[in-house]
Amino acid sequence: DMYLEIPTVGQSRLNAAYANGGAALTMQTLENNFRVNIDKYIEIDFENFAAVIDKMGGIDIDMNAAVAAEGNRNIGSHWTEGVNHLSGSEALYYARIRATDSDFGRTGRQRQVVEAMLTQFKSLGLTEMGTVAFDYLPYVTTNLTDGDILYLTSIAPQVLEYEQVTMCVPNEGTYEDLTLPSGARVLGVDVEENSRLLREFIYGESSGGSEE
């Protein structure tokens, strides 16, 4: 719902970038507004997202009682407060829940699901990692080349040992709820402050603003 300037579109919600120009316009919009470099992307739709998780054997998710109850009411799951093992369709539903809190809670759950997928991937051996990576290619659209994927697979054992850190944009206290003349509700964002915080998060304080 972030209300941003989108090239060729004008002021609109961020998701309008994808609707009007796919991954390319989305990357350009993020680069223009937040001054970060984005060269590569991986795109996956909801159905394939669930299929990928099923191919991994499901994922473990730690959830609160309210979310567990929401799932049990709506999809007939048997979740309890704490860690639950989710199938692909269950993980997809979990990632889309908003009724228990807010859209910020939902995006937090989406990051949690991605982290759980990475944790599951870490348990594989190097050969299995390579097999899994290429098995998943039919499910995704990406501008990564086969060479890129082979390289990333080769360094996966080292990279996957890094600490996983995430960040939400917009940051708390850097936006306000707005209602447009059309009646649409959007988030008015302090772009400069979020750009500063995001660049600091990605490039580090010591980078002096470098985009290397």
Side-chain angles (χ1 to χ4, degrees):
D1 288 338
M2 287 193 294
Y3 197 56
L4 300 173
E5 182 67 28
I6 300 175
T8 73
V9 175
Q11 288 282 125
S12 189
R13 287 191 177 100
L14 174 59
N15 58 14
Y18 185 85
N20 285 273
L25 185 57
T26 302
M27 289 192 292
Q28 185 180 353
T29 300
L30 293 172
E31 287 188 332
N32 287 4
N33 282 277
F34 299 111
R35 301 198 301 279
V36 293
N37 290 336
I38 305 175
D39 301 313
K40 304 293 184 180
Y41 74 91
I42 298 174
E43 172 191 331
I44 184 166
D45 64 28
F46 283 137
E47 289 184 6
N48 287 340
F49 177 79
V52 166
I53 291 175
D54 281 333
K55 285 179 71 69
M56 299 180 76
I59 55 175
D60 291 330
I61 291 291
D62 189 0
M63 64 182 70
N64 62 40
V67 170
E70 183 74 10
N72 296 342
R73 265 195 311 272
N74 290 298
I75 62 171
S77 57
H78 300 283
W79 297 342
T80 59
E81 183 178 9
V83 177
N84 295 266
H85 190 73
L86 275 56
S87 68
S89 60
E90 289 176 325
L92 175 58
Y93 175 80
Y94 176 81
R96 301 180 74 182
I97 292 174
R98 183 166 52 182
T100 58
D101 39 41
S102 67
D103 196 46
F104 286 92
R106 179 173 63 173
T107 58
R109 283 183 283 277
Q110 291 168 357
R111 293 195 301 276
Q112 186 186 9
V113 166
V114 172
E115 289 172 8
M117 293 173 70
L118 289 173
T119 298
Q120 184 79 350
F121 191 67
K122 286 180 183 181
S123 67
L124 305 177
L126 182 59
T127 301
E128 289 177 297
M129 286 180 178
T131 300
V132 165
F134 280 95
D135 280 349
Y136 290 169
L137 285 180
Y139 293 98
V140 304
T141 302
T142 180
N143 62 351
L144 290 167
T145 66
D146 287 352
D148 291 333
I149 295 168
L150 281 171
Y151 171 70
L152 291 171
T153 301
S154 72
I155 65 171
Q158 293 78 38
V159 173
L160 288 173
E161 291 303 313
Y162 295 167
E163 178 187 4
Q164 294 177 32
V165 291
T166 65
M167 175 182 176
C168 179
V169 178
N171 276 246
E172 186 176 353
T174 65
Y175 66 91
E176 60 180 336
D177 295 311
L178 298 177
T179 301
L180 302 180
S182 65
R185 298 178 64 183
V186 298
L187 296 181
V189 177
D190 184 336
V191 174
E192 287 301 315
E193 179 62 5
N194 278 282
S195 174
R196 183 188 70 78
L197 292 168
L198 181 59
R199 288 170 54 80
E200 181 179 288
F201 177 77
I202 294 175
Y203 303 120
E205 292 182 353
S206 62
S207 68
S210 170
E211 296 187 359
E212 294 180 1

